[in-house]
Amino acid sequence: MSTAGQVIRCRAAVAWESGKPLSIEEVEVAPPQKDEVRIKILFTSLCHTDVYFWDAKGQNPLFPRILGHEAGGIVESVGEGVTDLKPGDHVLPIFTGECKECPHCLSEESNMCDLLRINTDRGEMINNGKSRFSINGKPIYHFLGTSTFSEYTVVHVGQVAKINPEAPLDKVCVLSCGMSTGFGATVNVAKPKKGQSVAIFGLGAVGLAAAEGARVSGASRIIGVDLNPSRFEQAKKFGVTEFVNPKDYNKPVQEAIVEMTGGGVDRSVECTGSIQAMISAFECVHDGWGVAVLVGVPNKDDAFKTHPVNLLNERTLKGTFFGNYKPRSDIPAVVEKYMNKELELDKFITHTVPFSEINKAFELMLAGEGLRCVIRMDE
């Protein structure tokens, strides 16, 4: 029996207030409107960004809210005007979008869509400024336009990547955010050549995805930099060949890396958001050709300084957002890389929990355990 055009009642994990465990509730999910699709979520995973906004220390708290943005599912129904998706399509909802019409989308160089780029403050759908979720008639806010901690969610068509139906959603769901961000930062932005050296600052999930990008690119040395030595053993699986803990040196870590490499690394990727790491990542690359790429999100009032001579000596400093991938145009091909065994994902998934135990995923992340915890929605 078709549910198209009808309100669906289903389970969702609702964040009622900041820092309090999520509560599994029955919610009502309205049908998709113009340019929207309703998706049955099968697997979702927890990303640090969900925890950051659940904790709501650094930004405008918006509650009650359904968090979640790293996921895979199947289209249940489509709204008016949606032509490139149909019920039954396998998809990844993505926290940023691609309208395919704005100057950014028409540019080959950008993925920062004017209409659908990430907006952490918005809790409603852009079509009519209202939420598609409610409990007893009271609206529940959306998160990043995805809200995947629900058995069904409504997403703007521009934020939905249609992928190979053969791809296992319980694995490729992690490509909808963190893994693509790190992997793309290396392969699309740093672009190491075969045999070059790469330093990765921060060995969390995104940093290890950046290391995976360096491994796939044929880097000869991949130097992992982290303040937590317990991350070093795990990082070997991702191609990291040597480790540097800044605490072990009585000089700036960039100086140590320059010495280790006889002048600096060829590429560096910064995945921590710490300004100190950003300076180190830039100053540790080789003069003449070195490229440093910033991925980590800084605090609001942060600024950093470096001597302009570092740039005049032909070092390059770049930034990236979502690995420079356009969600609809590029992510399906990243899924194919996984299908063709050019990219490994299974090693990123260190835990799985049933939906009823979603708070366990938060506990694991807060304890710094594992990389990605995949949540199975059918349990």
Side-chain angles (χ1 to χ4, degrees), residues 106-315:
L106 296 174
S107 152
E108 285 179 14
E109 298 179 60
S110 174
N111 65 341
M112 300 195 57
C113 175
D114 282 328
L115 181 70
L116 297 168
R117 75 171 65 170
I118 186 171
N119 182 331
T120 58
D121 291 332
R122 191 166 56 225
E124 301 87 12
M125 297 301 286
I126 56 176
N127 175 13
N128 65 351
K130 295 199 167 108
S131 172
R132 304 287 173 267
F133 297 111
S134 59
I135 294 180
N136 301 328
K138 290 198 173 63
I140 307 289
Y141 290 114
H142 292 252
F143 177 61
L144 302 183
T146 52
S147 291
T148 61
F149 294 166
S150 174
E151 292 176 312
Y152 288 87
T153 187
V154 176
V155 182
H156 190 286
V157 65
Q159 286 182 240
V160 182
K162 178 182 171 180
I163 63 160
N164 182 345
E166 301 293 309
L169 289 170
D170 59 333
K171 303 288 191 288
V172 298
C173 63
V174 299
L175 286 172
S176 65
C177 173
M179 305 315 83
S180 294
T181 295
F183 189 79
T186 304
V187 301
N188 295 337
V189 189
K191 295 184 177 161
K193 299 182 174 76
K194 197 170 164 45
Q196 285 191 322
S197 57
V198 181
I200 310 285
F201 288 75
L203 299 175
V206 173
L208 292 175
E212 176 76 1
R215 182 187 74 76
V216 166
S217 303
S220 58
R221 291 176 79 176
I222 305 175
I223 301 169
V225 185
D226 203 296
L227 295 164
N228 178 355
S230 71
R231 287 177 151 180
F232 292 167
E233 194 52 44
Q234 179 177 44
K236 290 177 185 167
K237 287 188 215 158
F238 298 83
V240 180
T241 54
E242 50 211 294
F243 299 95
V244 172
N245 184 341
K247 288 186 202 158
D248 295 345
Y249 300 88
N250 54 10
K251 58 184 168 195
V253 71
Q254 55 267 41
E255 291 178 20
I257 293 171
V258 167
E259 276 173 29
M260 277 169 69
T261 52
V265 288
D266 301 304
R267 304 287 185 261
S268 71
V269 186
E270 188 287 316
C271 305
T272 71
S274 136
I275 357 184
Q276 196 45 61
M278 294 178 194
I279 297 166
S280 299
F282 176 52
E283 295 184 353
C284 81
V285 299
H286 206 291
D287 59 0
W289 61 79
V291 179
V293 177
L294 305 186
V295 181
V297 179
N299 291 327
K300 201 170 62 196
D301 302 322
D302 280 350
F304 64 79
K305 60 181 195 181
T306 186
H307 202 287
V309 162
N310 290 323
L311 287 155
L312 297 174
N313 287 343
E314 299 171 11
R315 291 178 187 86

Side-chain angles (χ1 to χ4, degrees), residues 77-98:
S77 61
V78 302
E80 177 200 332
V82 175
T83 53
D84 46 359
L85 288 169
K86 61 186 186 309
D89 282 346
H90 285 224
V91 293
L92 303 180
I94 296 177
F95 66 91
T96 186
E98 180 186 353

Side-chain angles (χ1 to χ4, degrees), residues 6 9-10 17 44 52 57 61 147 152 155 212 228 243 256 279 309 320 328-329 349 355 360 371:
Q6 298 172 24
R9 285 184 178 74
C10 68
E17 52 184 308
T44 184
Y52 184 73
K57 290 208 175 86
S147 291
Y152 288 87
V155 182
E212 176 76 1
N228 178 355
F243 299 95
I279 297 166
V309 162
T320 174
R328 297 158 85 180
S329 304
I349 299 163
F355 187 41
K360 180 135 192 273
L371 294 172

